[in-house]
């Protein structure tokens, strides 16, 4: 069913009486429905239901918005690029008993949607390396306790095992025997690779890909980073680089790592390569679970490229996942 913008307009005006909504447009979203309001604000509404994240099915009641607000309030002053700040926040109303959050729109559009030259991409990679240096340097003492990442022992391998069990049960019937064999070898490699244990936890974005990086084409520069709902939950700095490798390729990753000031060990580089392959299976499972062939086929194409060492592997399909819920 089409998203009823008037329903969300009424919610905004009920929860925030100082806002008169003269224009509202649904722009998509993943774990939430996202609207532009009056050409100047972004509002985010949770919609419930399950989502795939490292093999776990989550019930989303909007708790991530509280989490994001704590993140933004804690780390925004410490970062070299703008991130959202929730100017409007409500616990909801009778018609919509979930949290609602709004912030002033940041300039630019998603990096994934921009067609940039290699020189422009090199500049983006440098900005990203500098941004991740600052983000990964955020001291844990500056964070609320609930944002601190888990211990190294809980990272990487256990999540991969859970993800593989789901892939094997739900997605293997859609894969060729050769793809199944490659997938099994990949997860066995992840399970046995000691580099996945050599982690010094840092504060991470957790979902750092081209869709969450804003690029201002008029300035030729990155203009902001959005969607911190998974921030602080991973702890491994490699997590914030793996989607860059998958989406933009080796040269882009190398340029970002060159600008990264915290040091890159061989073990971290190895984790980036393994995780870049692993994350494509999250999209594959998502497509299976919501019965959407678009995501399944995109993930299978990415798997084909990864299996044959073709770079870049590619990004998650650039369509709103809110439309499937």
């Amino acid at each position: 069913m089409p998203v009823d913008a008037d329903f969300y307009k009424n919610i905004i005006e009920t929860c925030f009486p100082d806002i008169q909504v003269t224009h509202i447009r649904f722009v998509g979203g993943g774990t939430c429905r996202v609207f532009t309001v009056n050409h100047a604000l972004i509002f985010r509404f949770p919609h419930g239901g399950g989502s795939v994240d490292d093999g776990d099915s989550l019930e989303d009641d909007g708790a991530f918005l509280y989490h994001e607000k704590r993140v933004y309030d804690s780390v925004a002053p410490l970062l070299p690029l703008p991130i959202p700040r929730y100017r409007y926040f409500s616990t909801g109303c009778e018609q919509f008993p979930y949290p609602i959050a709004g912030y002033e729109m940041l300039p630019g559009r998603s990096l994934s949607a921009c067609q940039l030259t290699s020189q422009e991409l090199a500049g983006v990679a440098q900005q990203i390396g500098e941004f991740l240096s600052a983000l990964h340097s955020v001291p844990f003492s500056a964070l609320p306790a609930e944002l601190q990442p888990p211990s190294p022992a809980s990272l990487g391998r256990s999540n991969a095992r859970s993800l593989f069990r789901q892939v094997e049960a739900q997605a293997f019937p859609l894969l060729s025997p050769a793809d199944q064999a490659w997938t099994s070898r990949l997860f066995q490699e992840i399970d046995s690779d000691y580099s996945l244990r050599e982690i010094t936890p840092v504060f991470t974005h957790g979902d750092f890909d081209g869709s969450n990086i804003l690029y201002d084409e008029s300035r030729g520069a990155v203009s902001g980073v959005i969607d911190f709902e998974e921030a602080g939950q991973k702890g491994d700095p490699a997590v914030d680089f793996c989607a860059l490798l998958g989406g933009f390729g080796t040269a882009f990753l190398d340029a970002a790592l060159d600008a990264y000031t915290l040091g890159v060990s061989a073990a971290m580089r190895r984790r980036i390569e393994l995780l870049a392959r692993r994350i494509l299976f999250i999209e594959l499972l998502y497509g299976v679970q919501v019965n959407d062939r678009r995501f399944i086929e995109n993930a299978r194409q990415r798997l084909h490229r990864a299996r044959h060492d073709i770079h870049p592997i590619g990004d998650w399909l650039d369509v709103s996942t809110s439309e499937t819920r």
Side-chain angles (χ1 to χ4, degrees):
M1 293 180 59
V3 174
D4 184 356
D6 285 338
F7 172 75
Y8 292 95
K9 171 183 180 293
N10 291 334
I11 293 170
I12 292 171
E13 293 182 335
T14 298
C15 294
F16 307 101
D18 58 324
I19 300 179
Q20 180 182 2
V21 179
T22 58
H23 177 271
I24 184 169
R25 182 172 68 92
F26 175 64
V27 294
T31 53
C32 59
R33 291 193 169 99
V34 181
F35 295 82
T36 60
V37 173
N38 296 346
H39 305 288
L41 301 171
I42 296 289
F43 270 88
R44 289 159 60 80
F45 296 83
H47 47 59
S51 65
V52 179
D53 177 55
D54 283 343
D56 296 325
S57 179
L58 304 177
E59 289 299 320
D60 174 18
D61 60 0
F64 70 90
L65 288 177
Y66 292 101
H67 176 82
E68 274 194 311
K69 186 177 188 305
R70 289 190 287 264
V71 170
Y72 295 149
D73 291 345
S74 300
V75 308
L78 306 176
L79 301 177
L81 291 172
I83 67 174
R85 300 294 296 272
Y86 282 146
R87 177 180 174 186
Y88 300 98
F89 200 93
S90 171
T91 57
C93 57
E94 183 177 355
Q95 307 100 297
F96 192 84
Y98 301 101
I100 304 152
Y103 63 88
E104 294 180 356
M105 190 184 305
L106 299 176
R109 59 179 183 147
S110 72
L111 184 62
S112 297
C114 298
Q115 299 295 321
L116 304 185
T117 66
S118 57
Q119 183 177 0
E120 289 170 329
L121 281 172
V124 169
Q126 179 174 342
Q127 281 190 276
I128 287 174
E130 293 168 353
F131 174 81
L132 290 179
S133 298
L135 184 70
H136 295 172
S137 297
V138 169
F140 290 172
S141 60
L143 304 173
E146 59 267 32
L147 297 185
Q148 296 184 15
S151 67
S154 66
L155 297 170
R157 297 170 72 248
S158 60
N159 286 342
R161 290 172 182 172
S162 174
L163 181 60
F164 178 68
R165 286 194 293 269
Q166 286 196 84
V167 171
E168 189 175 35
Q170 300 176 32
F172 263 32
L174 303 175
L175 301 180
S176 68
D179 285 343
Q180 292 179 16
W182 183 88
T183 301
S184 296
R185 288 194 299 271
L186 171 67
F187 280 93
Q188 289 170 4
E189 191 174 4
I190 292 172
D191 192 56
S192 62
D193 197 300
Y194 281 84
S195 75
L196 293 176
R197 308 179 195 184
E198 299 176 24
I199 299 169
T200 300
V202 298
F203 185 75
T204 55
H205 181 281
D207 189 21
F208 197 71
D209 60 25
S211 68
N212 291 329
I213 300 167
L214 300 180
Y215 183 77
D216 187 343
E217 292 170 291
S218 66
R219 294 193 300 116
V222 177
S223 55
V225 177
I226 60 174
D227 289 2
F228 280 69
E229 61 198 64
E230 296 186 42
Q233 298 174 0
K234 303 294 183 181
D236 179 3
V239 166
D240 284 344
F241 287 98
C242 64
L244 301 178
L245 173 59
F248 299 99
T250 303
F252 186 92
L253 175 67
D254 289 342
L257 291 175
D258 285 343
Y260 186 69
T261 60
L262 303 188
V264 181
S265 66
M268 178 174 162
R269 182 64 187 246
R270 176 63 174 156
R271 293 198 309 276
I272 293 170
E273 294 171 353
L274 290 172
L275 294 173
R277 290 170 171 81
R278 189 189 76 175
I279 59 175
L280 67 89
F281 292 98
I282 298 174
E283 180 180 29
L284 180 60
L285 282 178
Y286 180 85
V288 171
Q289 292 179 1
V290 301
N291 192 29
D292 192 320
R293 297 295 305 186
R294 297 175 301 170
F295 294 99
I296 293 171
E297 290 308 316
N298 191 60
R300 289 175 63 179
Q301 290 175 23
R302 294 168 68 198
L303 191 158
H304 173 82
R305 295 177 69 86
R307 180 182 155 202
H308 294 280
D309 293 319
I310 301 171
H311 292 283
I313 296 170
D315 278 328
W316 185 290
L317 190 65
D318 189 20
V319 299
S320 169
T321 59
S322 282
E323 296 171 350
T324 65
R325 300 184 178 193

